[in-house]
Amino acid sequence: MNKNFNDLLKSYKNRRIAVAVSGGIDSMALMHIAANSGLNAVAVTVDHGLRENSASDAKFVEQIAAKIKIPHYILHWTGTKPKTGIEDAARRARYELLLDFCRAHDIKVLMTAHQADDQIETFLMNLGRGSGVYGLAGIRAELTLDGITIARPLLDVTRAELIKYCKNNKIEYVHDEMNDDENFTRVKIRKNRHILEDRLGITDARILTAIHSLGRVRDMLEDDVEELVSSVLINNRAIFSEKFLTDMPHELRMKFLSRILQKIGTLPYPPRLEKIERAIICLENDCKFTTARCIVRRVQSNILIAAEGQSCSFRKAK
């Protein structure tokens, strides 16, 4: 493994950690590394119930975790599953379950096995969607949500390196058949990504360099967004002029509103893009609506955002 990986791993030596483990190559390697590195870690598997083998895969992880003496827990995504947008829904459900688990067990670090190939695929997916800087900057190595740090120490490690690691250490893993289903955009990109290098000379290394550069730009924008949000947020309510919102560049405006809704609504993950876009359109005129666990109201040139159940008055909270 490379130096970035080792340095990041060392920074978590004295902290309680939950490792998200699906049973695939990446997460099984990470669980094995966490156990062998002496981290104070537990393994957590989310059974989405979307595949016939999902329950047996979770049990398989449980058995391997027992062999390497790492505590293991299985979480279940229950309820009605959406018929469309299942990838995004499953990802959000997974993070909500994992973060709830961490809070319940007083764990401050959630470690996931996203690696360099995931980073490239995410970049290409977002490029296809026409994303701006935030989407193209890819997956963060660290992100704090609700006081819990989500750490991805494998982001500079390739899938090929992890396959080699598992082979050398005789680590068993399961194959998720959904990773072969080209109805999913990510799988389609994964199977055709080689064309960029074969025909255009655009290597993975070049793409990762671009992602890192965009990440630095995103971090600078993030500082600006946090400063703007802090300037309008008082006692978990935001009051500001519509001019404050409309004078921003589109990318900053979207992130500003997203961040306010996430903070006030205490969401474990940013609201979906379509919710932000709908809110921006509604806020062009006087309105009152609920979204992302928040009440949003505009009267003349003034905009108020408060948590559901809070007062909708424009008087500043004491």
Side-chain angles (χ1 to χ4, degrees):
M1 301 296 170
N2 58 45
K3 185 176 183 299
N4 286 347
F5 168 79
N6 290 326
D7 288 346
L8 192 55
L9 208 62
K10 285 177 184 175
S11 68
Y12 295 108
K13 274 286 187 182
N14 299 315
R15 303 173 69 179
R16 293 189 70 211
I17 294 168
V19 182
V21 187
S22 66
I25 275 185
D26 307 337
S27 61
M28 292 299 283
L30 183 58
M31 180 174 73
H32 190 270
I33 291 165
N36 283 356
S37 300
L39 297 180
N40 182 11
V42 300
V44 188
T45 300
V46 175
D47 179 1
H48 293 90
L50 296 174
R51 298 179 295 109
E52 184 179 345
N53 298 328
S54 64
S56 60
D57 288 351
K59 286 293 182 183
F60 166 78
V61 176
E62 183 177 65
Q63 291 165 5
I64 301 300
K67 286 181 182 179
I68 61 175
K69 296 181 172 51
I70 186 169
H72 180 259
Y73 299 83
I74 299 174
L75 310 178
H76 298 273
W77 183 25
T78 57
T80 305
K81 310 296 191 300
K83 293 183 178 179
T84 59
I86 191 67
E87 282 181 288
D88 186 53
R91 175 178 60 84
R92 287 174 177 272
R94 178 167 63 252
Y95 274 108
E96 286 189 9
L97 286 166
L98 290 168
L99 290 171
D100 285 346
F101 173 87
C102 288
R103 280 187 285 268
H105 292 80
D106 196 28
I107 292 172
K108 300 300 183 184
V109 179
L110 170 63
M111 202 171 276
T112 71
H114 293 93
Q115 31 80 354
D117 293 76
D118 294 324
Q119 182 74 291
I120 293 168
E121 290 159 11
T122 298
F123 171 84
L124 293 173
M125 285 175 68
N126 289 337
L127 182 66
R129 293 169 178 156
S131 296
V133 171
Y134 280 93
L136 297 178
I139 307 167
R140 296 175 188 267
E142 288 188 338
L143 173 67
T144 300
L145 293 176
D146 261 2
I148 297 169
T149 298
I150 298 176
R152 292 138 177 161
L154 300 177
L155 274 184
D156 288 323
V157 180
T158 66
R159 184 175 290 121
E161 288 178 280
L162 293 171
I163 291 172
K164 183 179 179 181
Y165 179 89
C166 287
K167 183 177 179 180
N168 290 344
N169 290 277
K170 296 182 173 56
I171 299 170
E172 298 177 86
Y173 52 86
V174 298
H175 178 71
D176 183 349
E177 60 269 19
M178 292 178 76
N179 287 330
D180 298 322
D181 186 350
E182 291 196 41
N183 288 314
F184 296 110
T185 304
R186 183 177 291 276
V187 177
K188 195 178 296 183
I189 287 173
R190 183 175 300 154
K191 292 194 172 186
N192 294 282
R193 202 180 84 208
H194 65 91
I195 295 171
L196 289 173
E197 183 169 359
D198 295 346
R199 297 189 181 179
L200 302 174
I202 301 173
T203 64
D204 288 351
R206 290 287 177 88
I207 295 174
L208 287 170
T209 297
I211 293 170
H212 290 153
S213 297
L214 287 164
R216 289 191 289 272
V217 174
R218 176 189 58 195
D219 291 343
M220 288 188 287
L221 283 174
E222 193 71 32
D223 290 340
D224 291 340
V225 168
E226 288 300 323
E227 187 175 332
L228 289 168
V229 169
S230 296
S231 72
V232 301
L233 200 62
I234 302 174
N235 294 335
N236 207 38
R237 297 167 81 244
I239 299 177
F240 51 93
S241 163
E242 57 88 20
K243 187 172 173 58
F244 187 88
L245 188 65
T246 55
D247 280 355
M248 296 180 189
H250 180 70
E251 184 86 4
L252 202 58
R253 177 164 63 245
M254 296 286 286
K255 192 63 181 179
F256 169 78
L257 189 56
S258 173
R259 189 70 181 126
I260 285 180
L261 290 172
Q262 184 184 0
K263 279 196 168 188
I264 292 178
T266 61
L267 303 174
Y269 221 70
R272 293 182 181 180
L273 180 62
E274 57 266 27
K275 287 190 175 183
I276 305 301
E277 290 173 337
R278 283 199 299 269
I280 292 286
I281 292 170
C282 289
L283 285 169
E284 291 176 359
N285 302 291
D286 284 9
C287 60
K288 182 180 177 183
F289 59 93
T290 301
T291 186
R293 302 180 191 169
C294 295
I295 299 171
V296 182
R297 183 183 179 195
R298 173 174 172 173
V299 177
Q300 296 180 355
S301 64
N302 297 312
I303 295 172
L304 164 73
I305 301 177
E308 286 184 295
Q310 278 192 331
S311 168
C312 288
S313 168
F314 277 90
R315 289 179 300 176
K316 289 187 178 181
K318 296 180 179 179

